[in-house]
C-alpha cells in the first residue's frame, strides 16, 4: 500500500508542477512592442517562392505559430488593399476603396489613435507612397483611397512618430498650395527628403519622417535597394529609444504590383526584399523578448502558382519539367484565397487558427492589453 502511494506521488507531483508553470508563463508575458509586417498581394505561393529563389534560408522559416485569415471585404468576396488594411488597422470589414472608415463611411478609430492615448510610439513604413492605401489605413480616414493629398494631410495631423516611404509631392506640391513639410516640422518632425539617415542623426529628435520619392519608391531592383530593411531597423531603434513601447507597420508594397503585372521576377525580388525586413524584425524580437512580430498580407494578387516549368522538346511538343519551378499567373487582379499569418514572440499563440482579417486588430489589442477602459 505504502509502495503504491509513493508511485502515485511521483506521478502526481511533476504533473501539477508542470501545469502551474504553464499557467504562470501565460499570465506574465504581455508584449510591449508590436511589429506588423504586411506584404501586399502575397499568398502562399508568393511566400513559397522565397524557398526556391532566395539564396539563403527564408526568414519565413523562423516562425512556429501560423494561422490563416479570410480577407473578404464587407461588400466584395475579393478585397482590395484599402479594405484589407482597414480591417487590420481599425478592426472592421469595410467596402473596397475605404480608408479607415466603416461600411457606412463613418470614421473608425485606428491602432495609431488607440495606442497613442497610452503614449505608445508609432511608426509607418512603405515601399509605395506613404499615402498609398495600406499605410494610409493606419492614420487616415477617407471614403476613397485615391485622395492622396487628403491622406497626406491626415498624416501631418496624426500621432505617428516615425514614417518612411515615398509621396513627397502630396506634401509639398499640393493643389491647395499648402506645404505640409512645414506643418510636420511644427509638430517636431525631423524631415529628410534625400535618404534614410543613421539613428545617431535622429536620436534626439522627437519625431522623424522620410519622404524619399515624389510618388512611389522605385522597385528594389531598380534603385530602392535595401530601403525596407534599413527603414525597419531605423524605426525600431527610433521608436524603442525611450522604452515607452511601440507599434509599427512596415509594408512591402510592390509584391502586389509584380502580381498585377504578372511579372514573376519583379514579384520574387520584392518578396525576397520583404523577407529581409522580416529578418530584421525577428532579430530584434529575439533579443528583446518583449516584442510581438506579426507577418501577413491583405490578399493574394495574380493567382500566382509555382508549377513545374513548361519546356519544349526538339520536336516542338510541350512537357512539364518537374526538376524546375516555373511561375504562372491566372489573372491580373486580386484573389480570394486564404492568407497566412505568421507570429513570433509573446502572444504569438493567439494568432494560430483560422479567422477573419479584422480579428488581427482585436488580437493585437487583446495580447498587448492596449485597449483602454475609455475605449471599451
Ligand atoms: Mg499596399
Ligand atoms: Zn493590388
Amino acid at each position: 500500500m505504502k509502495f503504491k502511494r509513493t508511485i502515485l506521488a511521483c506521478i502526481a507531483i511533476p504533473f501539477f508542477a508542470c501545469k502551474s508553470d504553464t499557467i504562470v508563463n501565460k499570465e506574465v508575458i504581455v508584449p510591449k512592442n508590436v511589429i506588423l509586417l504586411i506584404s501586399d498581394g502575397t499568398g502562399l505561393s508568393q511566400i513559397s517562392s522565397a524557398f526556391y529563389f532566395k539564396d539563403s534560408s527564408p526568414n519565413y522559416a523562423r516562425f512556429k505559430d501560423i494561422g490563416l485569415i479570410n480577407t473578404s471585404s464587407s461588400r466584395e468576396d475579393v478585397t482590395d488593399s484599402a479594405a484589407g488594411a482597414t480591417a487590420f488597422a481599425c478592426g472592421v470589414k469595410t467596402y473596397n476603396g475605404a480608408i479607415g472608415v466603416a461600411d457606412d463611411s463613418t470614421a473608425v478609430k485606428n491602432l495609431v489613435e488607440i495606442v497613442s492615448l497610452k503614449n505608445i510610439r508609432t511608426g509607418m513604413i512603405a515601399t509605395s507612397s506613404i499615402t498609398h492605401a495600406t499605410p494610409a489605413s493606419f492614420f487616415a480616414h477617407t471614403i476613397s483611397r485615391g485622395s492622396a493629398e487628403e491622406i497626406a494631410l491626415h498624416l501631418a495631423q496624426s500621432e505617428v512618430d516615425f514614417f518612411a516611404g515615398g509621396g513627397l509631392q502630396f506634401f509639398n506640391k499640393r493643389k491647395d498650395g499648402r506645404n505640409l513639410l512645414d506643418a510636420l516640422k511644427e509638430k517636431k518632425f525631423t524631415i529628410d527628403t534625400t535618404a534614410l539617415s543613421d539613428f545617431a542623426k535622429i536620436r534626439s529628435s522627437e519625431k522623424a519622417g522620410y519622404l524619399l520619392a515624389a510618388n512611389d519608391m522605385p522597385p528594389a531592383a531598380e534603385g530602392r535597394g535595401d530601403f525596407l530593411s534599413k527603414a525597419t531597423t531605423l524605426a525600431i531603434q527610433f521608436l524603442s529609444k525611450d522604452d515607452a513601447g511601440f507599434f509599427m507597420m512596415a509594408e512591402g508594397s510592390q509584391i502586389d504590383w509584380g502580381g498585377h503585372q504578372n511579372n514573376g521576377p519583379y514579384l520574387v525580388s520584392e518578396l525576397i526584399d520583404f523577407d529581409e525586413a522580416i529578418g530584421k524584425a525577428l532579430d530584434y524580437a529575439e533579443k528583446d523578448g518583449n516584442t510581438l512580430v506579426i507577418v501577413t498580407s491583405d490578399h493574394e494578387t495574380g493567382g500566382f502558382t509555382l508549377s513545374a516549368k513548361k519546356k519544349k522538346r526538339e520536336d516542338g511538343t510541350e512537357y512539364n519539367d518537374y526538376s524546375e519551378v516555373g511561375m504562372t499567373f491566372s489573372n491580373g487582379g486580386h484573389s480570394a484565397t486564404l492568407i497566412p499569418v505568421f507570429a513570433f514572440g509573446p502572444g504569438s499563440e493567439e494568432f494560430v487558427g483560422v479567422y477573419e482579417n479584422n480579428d488581427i486588430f482585436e488580437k493585437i489589442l487583446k495580447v498587448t492589453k492596449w485597449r483602454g477602459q475609455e475605449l471599451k
Side-chain angles (χ1 to χ4, degrees):
M1 195 67 187
K2 195 180 174 192
F3 176 68
K4 248 187 187 171
R5 259 190 222 136
T6 312
I7 289 174
L8 266 177
C10 285
I11 296 166
I13 288 167
F15 176 73
F16 285 117
C18 176
K19 201 177 175 192
S20 67
D21 273 359
T22 309
I23 289 164
V24 167
N25 283 344
K26 271 192 177 162
E27 279 172 359
V28 168
I29 305 171
V30 173
K32 190 173 175 185
N33 314 308
V34 174
I35 302 173
L36 175 59
L37 301 174
I38 301 175
S39 50
D40 201 311
T42 301
L44 193 51
S45 287
Q46 280 86 347
I47 293 163
S48 306
S49 73
F51 289 75
Y52 294 97
F53 297 110
K54 195 179 178 189
D55 293 335
S56 53
S57 176
N59 289 296
Y60 277 107
R62 295 165 67 180
F63 293 94
K64 290 190 176 60
D65 290 327
I66 297 156
L68 288 170
I69 47 171
N70 174 31
T71 64
S72 298
S73 60
S74 63
R75 300 181 196 175
E76 293 92 354
D77 287 339
V78 183
T79 189
D80 81 327
S81 297
T86 297
F88 299 148
C90 305
V92 295
K93 293 227 183 217
T94 187
Y95 60 91
N96 287 1
I99 302 284
V101 297
D103 187 69
D104 63 1
S105 296
T106 55
V108 189
K109 269 199 166 38
N110 56 46
L111 279 170
V112 167
E113 289 162 336
I114 292 168
V115 307
S116 296
L117 291 173
K118 297 192 157 260
N119 295 320
I120 286 156
R121 292 163 63 76
T122 56
M124 293 294 134
I125 298 167
T127 56
S128 59
S129 166
I130 199 70
T131 60
H132 215 270
T134 310
S137 299
F138 287 84
F139 58 77
H141 305 281
T142 67
I143 56 168
S144 166
R145 58 183 288 169
S147 48
E149 292 190 357
E150 187 187 357
I151 291 166
L153 182 62
H154 287 199
L155 177 60
Q157 293 166 341
S158 78
E159 294 299 319
V160 169
D161 298 290
F162 177 102
F163 65 85
L168 177 61
Q169 69 185 31
F170 306 117
F171 293 79
N172 69 355
K173 291 197 173 104
R174 299 167 55 84
K175 288 188 196 84
D176 64 8
R178 289 182 66 177
N179 187 346
L180 296 184
L181 299 186
D182 294 336
L184 286 164
K185 283 168 194 162
E186 272 168 36
K187 286 195 79 172
K188 298 186 177 164
F189 267 96
T190 297
I191 298 292
D192 199 321
T193 60
T194 58
L196 290 175
S197 60
D198 291 334
F199 172 54
K201 220 175 169 186
I202 55 168
R203 187 192 296 267
S204 56
S205 304
E206 195 157 308
K207 293 169 179 249
Y210 298 88
L211 292 165
L212 305 182
N215 192 343
D216 300 314
M217 299 283 290
E222 291 172 24
R224 196 178 77 238
D226 58 359
F227 161 82
L228 185 58
S229 290
K230 275 194 173 149
T232 300
T233 301
L234 185 60
I236 291 169
Q237 289 174 311
F238 186 73
L239 296 171
S240 64
K241 68 188 172 112
D242 56 5
D243 214 25
F246 67 84
F247 167 75
M248 64 174 271
M249 190 291 296
E251 185 201 20
S253 316
Q254 299 192 26
I255 303 155
D256 176 64
W257 303 351
H260 282 294
Q261 291 179 21
N262 285 188
N263 183 336
Y266 180 19
L267 186 162
V268 169
S269 68
E270 291 294 328
L271 192 278
I272 290 173
D273 176 63
F274 181 74
D275 185 72
E276 288 294 308
I278 293 175
K280 302 296 178 201
L282 288 179
D283 291 347
Y284 175 77
E286 276 174 0
K287 262 190 270 157
D288 178 65
N290 283 312
T291 300
L292 170 65
V293 179
I294 306 154
V295 180
T296 191
S297 176
D298 45 3
H299 55 75
E300 194 275 343
T301 304
F304 183 60
T305 316
L306 297 176
S307 49
K309 197 158 193 169
K310 265 204 167 26
K311 290 188 177 172
K312 271 189 178 159
R313 295 187 186 88
E314 274 180 21
D315 65 2
T317 55
E318 275 194 344
Y319 72 101
N320 290 324
D321 183 352
Y322 276 59
S323 66
E324 219 178 308
V325 167
M327 295 186 270
T328 53
F329 294 87
S330 71
N331 67 78
H334 300 167
S335 77
T337 184
L338 297 183
I339 292 297
V341 181
F342 301 80
F344 176 92
S348 62
E349 65 281 354
E350 181 69 25
F351 295 84
V352 174
V354 182
Y355 45 96
E356 296 295 325
N357 56 356
N358 55 322
D359 291 338
I360 298 246
F361 169 92
E362 288 298 338
K363 288 175 186 295
I364 290 171
L365 291 180
K366 182 183 168 189
V367 298
T368 54
K369 302 190 194 295
W370 279 346
R371 191 191 283 282
Q373 292 297 322
E374 72 282 1
L375 293 159
K376 269 182 183 166

